[in-house]
Amino acid sequence: MRSTTLLALLALVLLYLVSGALVFRALEQPHEQQAQRELGEVREKFLRAHPCVSDQELGLLIKEVADALGGADPETNSTSNSSHSAWDLGSAFFFSGTIITTIGYGNVALRTDAGRLFCIFYALVGIPLFGILLAGVGDRLGSSLRHGIGHIEAIFLKWHVPPELVRVLSAMLFLLIGCLLFVLTPTFVFCYMEDWSKLEAIYFVIVTLTTVGFGDYVAGADPRQDSPAYQPLVWFWILLGLAYFASVLTTIGNWLRVVSRRTRAEMGGLTAQAASWTGTVTARVTQRAGPAAPPPEKEQPLLPPPPCPAQPLGRPRSPSPPEKAQPPSPPTASALDYPSENLAFIDESSDTQSERGCPLPRAPRGRRRPNPPRKPVRPRGPGRPRDKGVPV
């Protein structure tokens, strides 16, 4: 992905987060203020009914109960002097970021129906958009780290270190640099900013970057953190950390793909060697056993003679060659008008058919039409004119 495309996509995601923060703040902040007023009224009523209990003791009791149950901080009410709110602009921005990153800590939840309905459509659009941004940032971040590690590999190769060892060292260095930038450094930052122990801080880092997000530890949820830019900076760390994890998973996938391709190539080579060895052994066994007798020829089955075509009683027309078109012959008389030619045809066809073993065609039984009588020829004398219409 180009740098300009990546920057434009990042600007689009930031604009999407800011717009979502403004909408969530407009929908949820009035309900939060109403709940805080009601909580303050209940607290004051309890203190008036029990004058033996001081305000500090009641606050301490509520805080211990809230910590034991994992609820909201009791100091966030209308009577406290803290200006911290769950729906100020920084917190709403961070909440919108936890939606599109699919972390979803759960320490802050939507209370209105309008906010829940808007959250449905906001997540359906924002999650794919953040996925595209994450892929681009991960590709760019992984390329930068690999480029830097490539210089270190060149130094190792100049020292005549084996290439296999250089690959292992570069992979370990890639993981070490990523863990140092996105795991160890944020751990110490959260220990200082949130007053957490090292175990709590690294627990929050791992739970966040794996998108588990239990919500028992959330950066910026302490009311003492009144900086509006703190939680947005935490979200940018989440973006880079998730991109690094995505690049690590991509590298592992590419490595597994290369290993599987090499394995298939090696298996193909072994199969070819086994086939060659089998052919060699078979040839040697054949040479020792001598030339094998040729297989007996299969007897060809006797095919029946072709069927004899039905012969017509008249003279057949000689077939014309296909390449030369013969002009149509003039119409002839029936075969029965010329018995001599008919008998010649029968004799000629009988010789041919007798050689082929076919039965001769028989003339249909019945009365034949007698030949027409010829007119008598009159003798012509000397000087007598020839009669017209009398054949000579």
Side-chain angles (χ1 to χ4, degrees):
M1 186 179 293
R2 297 180 180 178
S3 301
T4 55
T5 306
L6 186 61
L7 291 176
L9 186 60
L10 179 60
L12 179 61
V13 171
L14 291 178
L15 181 62
Y16 189 76
L17 289 175
V18 172
S19 61
L22 293 176
V23 173
F24 283 123
R25 179 183 179 183
L27 295 176
E28 296 293 330
Q29 194 172 32
H31 183 273
E32 180 197 23
Q33 294 174 354
Q34 179 66 24
Q36 288 179 355
R37 286 194 294 268
E38 293 177 357
L39 181 60
E41 293 175 359
V42 172
R43 183 172 181 172
E44 291 177 359
K45 186 182 297 185
F46 179 82
L47 291 176
R48 286 195 300 267
H50 303 82
C52 59
V53 179
S54 64
D55 190 9
Q56 292 77 11
E57 293 176 351
L58 179 60
L60 182 61
L61 176 63
I62 296 176
K63 184 177 180 180
E64 291 179 356
V65 172
D67 291 339
L69 299 178
D73 197 295
E75 295 182 4
T76 307
N77 51 49
S78 59
T79 60
S80 63
N81 297 326
S82 176
S83 61
H84 184 272
S85 173
W87 294 108
D88 58 3
L89 187 58
S91 300
F93 181 91
F94 185 74
F95 176 79
S96 301
T98 59
I99 292 176
I100 65 174
T101 56
T102 68
I103 295 176
Y105 289 110
N107 62 318
V108 177
L110 300 171
R111 301 297 181 183
T112 62
D113 294 337
R116 292 165 183 168
L117 183 62
F118 176 75
C119 181
I120 292 173
F121 296 100
Y122 188 81
L124 291 177
V125 178
I127 291 174
L129 186 63
F130 180 78
I132 300 173
L133 176 64
L134 186 64
V137 174
D139 188 17
R140 181 69 60 175
L141 183 62
S143 300
S144 302
L145 290 178
R146 285 190 292 269
H147 183 70
I149 293 174
H151 295 289
I152 302 176
E153 289 181 353
I155 295 175
F156 284 145
L157 292 176
K158 288 181 181 179
W159 293 348
H160 303 286
V161 180
E164 294 79 7
L165 183 60
V166 170
R167 292 172 185 170
V168 174
L169 292 176
S170 62
M172 294 179 61
L173 191 60
F174 180 76
L175 296 176
L176 183 62
I177 293 176
C179 291
L180 180 63
L181 291 176
F182 303 109
V183 176
L184 294 180
T185 302
T187 298
F188 290 104
V189 171
F190 290 133
C191 286
Y192 175 76
M193 297 295 296
E194 300 288 339
D195 197 16
W196 291 340
S197 65
K198 293 181 175 60
L199 178 60
E200 293 173 343
I202 197 170
Y203 168 78
F204 167 75
V205 168
I206 298 301
V207 167
T208 299
L209 295 182
T210 53
T211 67
V212 176
F214 290 118
D216 48 354
Y217 290 92
V218 179
D222 193 349
R224 292 172 295 180
Q225 295 293 339
D226 54 354
S227 175
Y230 177 67
Q231 285 189 321
L233 291 176
V234 172
W235 184 85
F236 278 101
W237 161 73
I238 293 174
L239 172 62
L240 295 177
L242 292 178
Y244 168 72
F245 271 74
S247 64
V248 169
L249 294 178
T250 303
T251 304
I252 294 175
N254 295 334
W255 178 73
L256 291 177
R257 193 179 298 110
V258 171
V259 170
S260 63
R261 189 182 300 114
R262 290 181 180 178
T263 304
R264 287 197 299 268
E266 292 177 358
M267 293 300 296
L270 292 176
T271 304
Q273 292 179 2
S276 176
W277 179 79
T278 305
T280 304
V281 172
T282 305
R284 290 180 179 179
V285 171
T286 305
Q287 291 177 359
R288 291 180 181 179
E297 298 181 356
K298 296 182 179 180
E299 296 182 358
Q300 298 294 336
L302 297 177
L303 299 177
C308 299
Q311 298 293 340
L313 296 179
R315 174 180 290 181
R317 296 181 181 179
S318 59
S320 59
E323 61 275 1
K324 294 182 180 181
Q326 297 292 339
S329 59
T332 57
S334 175
L336 297 178
D337 295 339
Y338 301 93
S340 59
E341 293 180 3
N342 190 20
L343 293 175
F345 162 69
I346 293 175
D347 295 337
E348 180 182 358
S349 61
S350 62
D351 297 336
T352 306
Q353 296 182 12
S354 61
E355 292 177 0
R356 296 174 55 185
C358 299
L360 298 176
R362 296 181 180 180
R365 295 181 181 181
R367 296 178 63 185
R368 293 186 177 182
R369 187 176 62 179
N371 295 331
R374 295 186 177 184
K375 296 181 180 181
V377 180
R378 295 180 182 181
R380 186 176 58 177
R384 186 177 178 180
R386 185 176 179 180
D387 295 337
K388 295 181 180 180
V390 179
V392 179

